[in-house]
Amino acid sequence: MFKKFPALLLSAALLPAPLAAQEGPTLLDVLTPERLVQHLVQSAILALRTQVDLKYSDMSVWLGGQRYALNDVRLWPLPEWDEDSDCEIAIDRLVLRGTALDIADRFEFQLTGYGARAPMICLPPDMRASLEAVGIKDLSLPEVSLRMTYDIPSGAASLSLTATAEDLAGIDLVAEFPYLWFDARFSPEEPLPVVFLSRASLSVENLGLWDKVAPLVPPPFADPNGSPLAIEGLVGTGLLEMNRSPSEGGAVSLNDPQRAFLATVKESWPAFLADPTRLVLESDIDIPDGVFIDFEYYEDDPSAIFEDLQPRLTLAPASAADLIDLSLLSALLAGDLPDLALPERRRLGLALLEGVGAPRNVAAGTRILRDLALGGDGAAALALAETLRDRAPDQAYGFALAAGQGSQPGAAALLDRLEQALPFDTILQMQAGASGAAVVSEMSGALSLSQIRAKARAHITGIGAARSYATGAFWAMLAAAAGDAEGAALLSELDERARLASEAGAALWESQLAEASQQAMALWVETDMPSQLGLK
């Protein structure tokens, strides 16, 4: 008994005390995922401190959304020209966001600083001299944000940089890439970037900078009436020099995109002088899949940049053309649904769903697009399904079925994702409701085995036909009965799905499958399908 006493004391010491008697944090309090991640981030900060002096007051972690926030951040980067170590960067709040834990097919990165301040000594001498010449004595950025996203399935990416310099300017840089990655087939050590660009835009809003810069602008460029001629000389000459090859001797001329760009500069700059609000430099690429950015070719022929990007200088971004008329929005606020042609109605509904051209209003956008979607408008159906995917998966599934029936690209993939969140019996019920019956024979004249197989595949995948497992099983049974291996494989896939379903889902599937079997048997016999298929 006494020999076991020390072991009993040790066991008692290791066991957690009753909850009522506990004092201080328990092991479960310490080993939370958020705290473990915070320790990892702090370890990274310790490593960062070997490169730059840094301190902050506290850190908060939101693990699900992958957000990490540091408050009262102070940085001392110690640039080589700062002999007295006077460069101190202060940031009231620094927020880093990554990809949410429940998202597996997309990378996201966002770094945002609020209330950033720094003295001029932090800038290189040449840049500092230019800013001090126009009366800028320190830097104050109420907000600066860098955001990047990458969609793994498509390879599409986007990049945006937003910054506000107090009493100076607001800057928005946006680039969208339908495809972005690297090619390492020919040089694994130095892979080449593969870049397809569909949109690039740089917008600079005047918040006081022009008042400081205007006195330094040469008179020919500051006169709205005479500036087009000055621009013709300066910008036009620069573009001509870009076109001149070092080995060429004769005269050169501007290509059409360069002349178009020069025309926009000559038009927009005088307009900006009259109302110095905003200048926008953006591309005008009209290729949906984007244009290939060939960096090596541009080194030999810089003028090709203008042919590919079609740049222009304007006072407002092209997206301003997508703004919805205020009278339409006023009617919606009053509860009236405007009587519009189908294209305009679709445009209004999509703008409200996406929040581009009008403030986002999912309820109003759904109300406007619902009839279009259920009437066969695949684009409207897919937009509703994407919008409602996380808000209301069951409603989204109905719209995704309609999008699939309209052969809308992306509908099948969305159906797959939604089915992961819905019970199998709900899926079967909605499929039956969308098709109008548990099984639709679609029999019109004699069919070949390949046509029967294609119908089974289309209904099961939802590519080229409305997804309906019951209808797909009907056609797969006919194909399998004729000895088709794919038809049998499709049936096996449906059986496996039903095996893993809930009791309610399995029961409903057996009912729909029995009906499909009965109709398949009847069609097989009544039409003498073996003879039609050349089996006898």
Side-chain angles (χ1 to χ4, degrees):
M1 174 68 181
F2 292 101
K3 292 181 180 180
K4 297 180 179 180
F5 187 69
L8 292 174
L9 287 177
L10 179 60
S11 299
L14 293 176
L15 290 173
L19 293 178
Q22 283 186 2
E23 293 183 2
T26 66
L27 185 61
L28 294 178
D29 295 326
V30 175
L31 298 180
T32 62
E34 288 79 6
R35 192 171 295 275
L36 292 175
V37 171
Q38 182 172 346
H39 285 307
L40 291 175
V41 175
Q42 288 173 337
S43 298
I45 290 175
L46 293 177
L48 180 62
R49 279 178 175 161
T50 64
Q51 306 300 316
V52 58
D53 294 330
L54 178 153
K55 68 178 184 179
Y56 59 94
S57 63
D58 60 79
M59 176 193 302
S60 63
V61 175
W62 176 29
L63 185 58
Q66 289 290 288
R67 187 199 69 188
Y68 313 96
L70 302 178
N71 294 310
D72 304 318
V73 179
R74 299 294 182 271
L75 294 166
W76 290 267
L78 302 178
E80 57 183 13
W81 57 82
D82 181 18
E83 298 179 354
D84 298 326
S85 303
D86 293 329
C87 176
E88 175 186 344
I89 301 174
I91 307 174
D92 293 340
R93 183 173 173 83
L94 187 65
V95 180
L96 171 65
R97 290 197 63 177
T99 309
L101 293 180
D102 62 338
I103 296 177
D105 59 356
R106 185 170 73 249
F107 290 137
E108 292 186 357
F109 171 84
Q110 182 172 351
L111 182 63
T112 305
Y114 300 97
R117 304 172 300 282
M120 296 297 290
I121 191 64
C122 294
L123 298 177
D126 293 344
M127 184 182 298
R128 186 167 67 248
S130 299
L131 294 178
E132 289 175 345
V134 296
I136 301 175
K137 299 181 180 179
D138 56 19
L139 301 175
S140 178
L141 302 176
E143 180 178 355
V144 57
S145 182
L146 172 66
R147 185 173 187 267
M148 294 180 289
T149 64
Y150 188 81
D151 183 72
I152 297 175
S154 66
S158 65
L159 169 69
S160 65
L161 173 65
T162 303
T164 302
E166 189 172 14
D167 298 328
L168 294 176
I171 299 174
D172 289 289
L173 172 65
V174 177
E176 296 177 358
F177 309 92
Y179 186 83
L180 175 66
W181 201 239
F182 299 90
D183 185 353
R185 288 173 292 180
F186 305 106
S187 178
E189 296 80 12
E190 297 181 3
L192 297 175
V194 180
V195 180
F196 283 82
L197 180 70
S198 60
R199 179 185 173 225
S201 174
L202 172 63
S203 174
V204 180
E205 182 183 8
N206 175 39
L207 301 178
L209 179 61
W210 176 247
D211 295 336
K212 300 178 182 296
V213 173
L216 303 179
V217 176
F221 293 93
D223 177 17
N225 296 320
S227 58
L229 184 61
I231 291 171
E232 179 84 37
L234 179 65
V235 180
T237 301
L239 294 176
L240 285 173
E241 289 298 323
M242 176 185 294
N243 294 355
R244 188 185 301 276
S245 171
S247 61
E248 292 179 350
V252 294
S253 61
L254 301 181
N255 58 32
D256 289 342
Q258 288 175 320
R259 281 191 287 271
F261 171 70
L262 181 59
T264 64
V265 177
K266 292 167 61 177
E267 178 183 358
S268 297
W269 180 252
F272 175 79
L273 293 176
D275 181 15
T277 301
R278 181 189 292 105
L279 279 174
V280 180
L281 177 63
E282 63 181 354
S283 62
D284 187 20
I285 301 171
D286 60 357
I287 303 174
D289 292 331
V291 62
F292 176 63
I293 305 301
D294 194 336
F295 297 99
E296 293 182 346
Y297 186 77
Y298 296 155
E299 292 180 1
D300 297 330
D301 185 7
S303 66
I305 298 176
F306 287 82
E307 296 178 352
D308 288 344
L309 301 188
Q310 302 284 325
R312 61 186 180 183
L313 185 70
T314 64
L315 300 183
S319 58
D322 297 328
L323 294 176
I324 300 299
D325 189 273
L326 295 183
S327 62
L328 294 179
L329 300 181
S330 297
L332 287 175
L333 287 174
D336 298 327
L337 187 61
D339 184 15
L340 300 172
L342 290 183
E344 287 301 312
R345 184 166 181 172
R346 182 192 302 113
R347 176 174 172 265
L348 174 60
L350 292 177
L352 292 170
L353 284 186
E354 299 167 359
V356 177
R360 188 173 68 175
N361 190 320
V362 174
T366 302
R367 182 162 57 97
I368 291 171
L369 294 179
R370 178 181 178 83
D371 292 341
L372 294 180
L374 298 181
D377 190 319
L382 188 63
L384 285 170
E386 289 281 7
T387 301
L388 299 173
R389 181 179 64 181
D390 298 322
R391 295 178 173 87
D394 52 343
Q395 295 182 42
Y397 191 78
F399 289 121
L401 287 172
Q405 191 167 9
S407 300
Q408 190 71 17
L414 182 55
L415 286 168
D416 289 342
R417 290 196 296 268
L418 288 167
E419 286 181 2
Q420 297 176 8
L422 295 172
F424 192 49
D425 57 322
T426 300
I427 293 170
L428 295 176
Q429 290 170 3
M430 297 191 70
Q431 289 180 355
S435 62
V439 175
V440 179
S441 66
E442 302 176 3
M443 189 67 183
S444 57
L447 296 174
S448 66
L449 179 57
S450 62
Q451 289 174 318
I452 293 174
R453 182 195 307 123
K455 285 180 175 291
R457 187 191 313 116
H459 280 291
I460 292 175
T461 61
I463 300 176
R467 178 173 291 188
S468 170
Y469 293 143
T471 306
F474 167 80
W475 290 108
M477 288 175 187
L478 295 175
D484 182 66
E486 184 176 354
L490 291 172
L491 280 176
S492 177
E493 178 184 340
L494 293 174
D495 290 338
E496 185 67 10
R497 174 180 283 270
R499 184 182 69 83
L500 299 174
S502 65
E503 183 177 348
L508 180 56
W509 174 243
E510 286 300 322
S511 173
Q512 291 187 359
L513 193 62
E515 182 181 353
S517 301
Q518 193 72 14
Q519 293 192 18
M521 182 74 75
L523 186 64
W524 181 270
V525 173
E526 293 170 2
T527 63
D528 189 9
M529 191 164 288
S531 296
Q532 288 189 34
L533 299 178
L535 301 177
K536 67 175 185 178

